[in-house]
Amino acid sequence: MILCTGELIADISVETLPDIGEVMRRRAGGAPFNVACDIKALGGEAGFYGCIGSDMMGDMLAAEAEKTGIAPLLLRRDARRHTAIAFVEIGPDGDRSFEFRASRAADCAPDAAELETLLPTAKILHLGSLMLREKCGRQYAAAAVGLARDRGIKVSFDVNLRAGLYPSLAAAVRATRPVIAAADILKLSEDEAMLFTSAPDAQSAAVSLACGGKTVFVTMGARGACCARGDECISLPSPTVRVVNATGCGDAFFAAALLSLERDPEDISAALAEGVRAGAACAQSPASHL
């Protein structure tokens, strides 16, 4: 089982529908929650633990999460914090931009003691990154890594850097580096990989990050992705597809790659191929589902 933890937030998007015009939709979102949903859609076992507010958006998220059938599913409700909201705008090319309402939001306040109750059946603990914007979230991430280490559970981490949630880009990098160092399996976009290594290209960046036996995936959009472990780095182009909506493509990629690694930890070629396939399939779906 792959246990995902971190942000479960409300995604609010504006979409244009034929004969109707612009409509606003709200959905359950957040990278680690999306990964859990996609793993289950691919036939794997996935659990999720996160924190949401005791408010209207929190009620919506709890109801939507229950519908997924993800198990185990544990949601902490925090009456002192509101549920985080991400406003998503989809451009003509299918790419997206985000604006967050996330100051003192609940996704930063999960409890490591609650997470611990879910760990006995996990093979991989997958961490989201948005909680790192607050001290309590960073403390939770460190505690979660420690609990996984004590049980011999692999830790995966999607950098998913949202610099706008931090006082500066430098603050975002400082908050993220310790989790990058601690993780066994990493996913970064090409831009993120270059930021954290100053390498000249994605492949060199992946190898630079793959120290100590890490498995590192770097996604390169329409050009595909690469994966490094030790000094080995393999690349795979993406199939040519019409991009309808890029939201969730990275999550779909990582869900498929993680599931492949859970089944065969040694075969990074298969994991990369599954990730590229899933990311491309997601890009063609307006609902951002596999």
Side-chain angles (χ1 to χ4, degrees):
M1 187 265 288
I2 300 172
L3 178 59
C4 303
T5 186
E7 63 269 19
L8 170 57
I9 63 179
D11 279 355
I12 309 294
S13 62
V14 177
E15 302 172 14
T16 302
L17 300 180
D19 303 322
I20 297 177
E22 286 191 346
V23 296
M24 185 172 286
R25 292 185 173 181
R26 63 179 189 176
R27 296 187 178 96
F33 178 74
N34 291 342
V35 167
C37 290
D38 289 343
I39 289 169
K40 181 169 177 57
L42 289 166
E45 293 183 50
F48 181 81
Y49 172 63
C51 184
I52 55 179
S54 297
D55 51 21
M56 184 185 299
M57 287 298 183
D59 292 342
M60 182 274 290
L61 293 179
E64 291 300 308
E66 286 290 343
K67 292 177 186 176
T68 65
I70 290 171
L73 173 67
L74 180 58
L75 301 178
R76 183 169 184 262
R77 304 296 295 263
D78 192 329
R80 300 166 301 170
R81 289 171 172 260
H82 68 90
T83 301
I85 300 173
F87 294 93
V88 186
E89 186 172 289
I90 310 299
D93 59 354
D95 206 354
R96 69 271 193 271
S97 56
F98 296 90
E99 186 172 308
F100 292 91
R101 297 292 181 268
S103 177
R104 281 195 55 79
D107 63 294
C108 289
D111 185 335
E114 292 183 338
L115 174 73
E116 188 172 13
T117 66
L118 306 179
L119 284 173
T121 58
K123 291 184 179 179
I124 297 173
L125 176 65
H126 174 60
L127 297 176
S129 66
L130 295 197
M131 60 189 167
L132 300 178
R133 69 188 184 274
E134 285 196 29
K135 182 179 180 180
C136 61
R138 295 190 289 274
Q139 290 172 334
Y140 170 75
V145 169
L147 290 170
R149 286 277 177 269
D150 290 345
R151 289 157 179 78
I153 298 169
K154 296 289 187 182
V155 174
S156 74
F157 177 56
D158 182 356
V159 171
N160 195 31
L161 194 72
R162 302 293 181 217
L165 290 171
Y166 295 82
S168 65
L169 177 59
V173 169
R174 284 196 302 272
T176 307
R177 280 197 187 278
V179 191
I180 288 177
D184 302 293
I185 308 166
L186 288 170
K187 184 188 79 67
L188 308 90
S189 69
E190 186 172 17
D191 288 345
E192 290 165 348
M194 309 284 270
L195 173 67
F196 281 94
T197 64
S198 300
D201 53 61
Q203 290 80 5
S204 299
V207 171
S208 176
L209 289 164
C211 55
K214 292 182 189 292
T215 301
V216 179
F217 296 95
V218 178
T219 57
M220 300 180 291
R223 293 180 9 253
C226 64
C227 179
R229 181 183 285 169
D231 294 331
E232 179 187 8
C233 185
I234 55 176
S235 299
L236 192 65
S238 176
T240 301
V241 298
R242 177 176 174 267
V243 178
V244 176
N245 184 354
T247 305
C249 290
D251 303 330
F253 173 97
F254 209 15
L258 286 175
L259 183 56
S260 182
L261 286 176
E262 183 194 28
R263 292 168 173 166
D264 186 349
E266 301 306 316
D267 195 344
I268 62 171
S269 295
L272 181 62
E274 289 298 321
V276 168
R277 181 207 63 79
C282 181
Q284 300 173 77
S285 170
S288 301
H289 289 160
L290 289 172

